[in-house]
Amino acid sequence: QVQLVESGGGLVQAGGSLRLSCAASGRTFNRYAMGWFRQAPGKAREFVGGSSWSGGRTTYAGSLEGRFTISRDNAKNTMYLQMNSLKPEDTATYYCAAADSLAVIRSAAYWGQGTLVTVSS
């Protein structure tokens, strides 16, 4: 069992930056690939990006690569999502997830409760 808690959301102006954190507890964090997802009001959840268990491999939704960066610190059991040049369309609740590998991150077994990011124009 892995417990995930997101933090760092809030209100930011367009063009600004935020860094989200996902703190994990429970089973060994560095055994899991991790991912970020988001869900805007009235829309389906979408994949933002993910990291392999070591952090050596990351993958992103094509439209977000270059603005969003995922990193993880296995010593702190924490994954991060650095978001730059934010746009109003980035407004969503952001969730982190843990899975056995990046290949199955979209069907991850473990999910956090989410943190809300609101980008004002």
Side-chain angles (χ1 to χ4, degrees):
Q1 192 79 4
V2 176
Q3 292 79 42
L4 304 173
V5 178
E6 303 93 338
S7 62
L11 175 65
V12 62
Q13 287 189 332
S17 298
L18 275 178
R19 189 176 80 156
L20 306 184
S21 299
C22 172
S25 60
R27 301 187 69 177
T28 307
F29 176 71
N30 62 11
R31 292 182 55 187
Y32 294 94
M34 301 291 294
W36 286 101
F37 295 79
R38 68 183 184 182
Q39 187 167 20
K43 295 187 177 181
R45 185 177 64 199
E46 65 173 340
F47 175 71
V48 171
S51 168
S52 62
W53 66 269
S54 68
R57 180 185 166 211
T58 54
T59 184
Y60 299 92
S63 61
L64 301 177
E65 193 161 11
R67 292 196 299 124
F68 288 16
T69 303
I70 292 172
S71 60
R72 62 190 291 168
D73 185 339
N74 285 346
K76 296 182 178 180
N77 287 357
T78 303
M79 175 180 64
Y80 305 98
L81 178 65
Q82 178 68 42
M83 305 185 293
N84 298 327
S85 303
L86 283 162
K87 305 175 182 180
E89 52 263 43
D90 295 318
T91 295
T93 298
Y94 285 71
Y95 301 88
C96 65
D100 288 339
S101 72
L102 271 180
V104 296
I105 194 66
R106 288 172 176 78
S107 56
Y110 305 106
W111 293 84
Q113 311 96 308
T115 186
L116 178 62
V117 172
T118 303
V119 184
S120 63
S121 59

